[in-house]
């Protein structure tokens, strides 16, 4: 399995958010080629500003492995994480973060290096699909 496959899984999570009229962002956490955590945005449903896809996926993964540190794991997320989610990945000491599309307004890279020094970063995986989902969502909201 590869980055494309796991990003497709994150996109499926984003579709769940879309179905619930949430901002369509999805995430999965992978350890040894297995998904151990999943999440999609649920801030409206849970009335919780911290219920981002990444936060839910990280919590799920930590519960799965029984450890708050996820240094051998990779987070796949459809959109560049925000500062809060980048901070959570820092504290989890993630091995790698892979995201689909850039988030120029609130993405963490706007604010400097927020990931753990050992965390590798990749971007652009299935970027057009990830960006398209967001674009379509906000176009519908504006109508």
């Amino acid at each position: 399995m590869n980055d494309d496959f796991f990003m497709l899984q994150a996109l499926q999570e984003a579709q769940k958010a879309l179905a619930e009229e949430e901002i369509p962002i999805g995430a999965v956490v992978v350890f040894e080629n297995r998904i151990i955590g999943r999440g999609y945005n649920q801030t409206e449903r849970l009335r919780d500003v911290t219920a981002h896809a990444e936060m839910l996926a990280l919590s799920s993964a930590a519960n799965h492995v029984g450890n708050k540190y996820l240094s051998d794991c990779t987070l796949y997320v459809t959109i560049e994480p925000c500062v809060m989610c980048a901070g959570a990945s820092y504290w989890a000491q993630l091995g790698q973060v892979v995201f689909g599309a850039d988030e120029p307004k609130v993405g963490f890279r706007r604010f400097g290096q927020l990931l753990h020094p050992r965390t590798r970063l990749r971007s652009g995986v299935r970027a057009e699909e990830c960006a398209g989902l967001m674009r379509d969502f906000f176009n519908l909201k504006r109508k």
Side-chain angles (χ1 to χ4, degrees):
M1 291 184 238
N2 59 24
D3 287 346
D4 228 36
F5 172 81
F6 291 118
M7 189 59 73
L8 184 58
Q9 299 300 305
L11 277 161
Q12 288 175 358
E13 292 298 311
Q15 289 288 346
K16 293 176 185 176
L18 183 64
E20 294 180 17
E21 297 184 11
E22 298 271 2
I23 295 174
I25 298 174
V28 296
V29 176
V30 175
F31 173 70
E32 294 182 347
N33 266 344
R34 281 189 24 245
I35 295 173
I36 62 167
R38 295 177 176 271
Y40 61 92
N41 273 5
Q42 296 183 53
T43 59
E44 298 299 327
R45 177 181 184 212
L46 299 176
R47 294 181 183 94
D48 179 355
V49 297
T50 68
H52 288 197
E54 302 95 321
M55 301 295 280
L56 298 172
L58 289 172
S59 291
S60 176
N63 286 329
H64 179 86
V65 298
N67 193 339
K68 64 183 179 181
Y69 298 115
L70 302 171
S71 56
D72 294 324
C73 298
T74 299
L75 170 68
Y76 290 86
V77 59
T78 55
I79 302 296
E80 177 183 350
C82 70
V83 170
M84 174 183 68
C85 294
S89 72
Y90 177 96
W91 292 113
Q93 298 181 14
L94 277 171
Q96 182 172 228
V97 173
V98 178
F99 68 84
D102 294 342
E103 176 34 273
K105 292 181 183 172
V106 296
F108 79 91
R109 292 181 303 167
R110 230 182 118 192
F111 303 96
Q113 169 56 348
L114 300 178
L115 300 179
H116 193 276
R118 289 187 298 267
T119 301
R120 296 176 314 281
L121 179 65
R122 290 204 48 226
S123 63
V125 178
R126 298 187 88 110
E128 187 48 45
E129 287 173 79
C130 296
L133 201 54
M134 292 284 279
R135 202 170 31 251
D136 293 348
F137 174 79
F138 284 108
N139 283 341
L140 283 173
K141 285 288 184 192
R142 289 182 189 108
K143 288 183 180 184

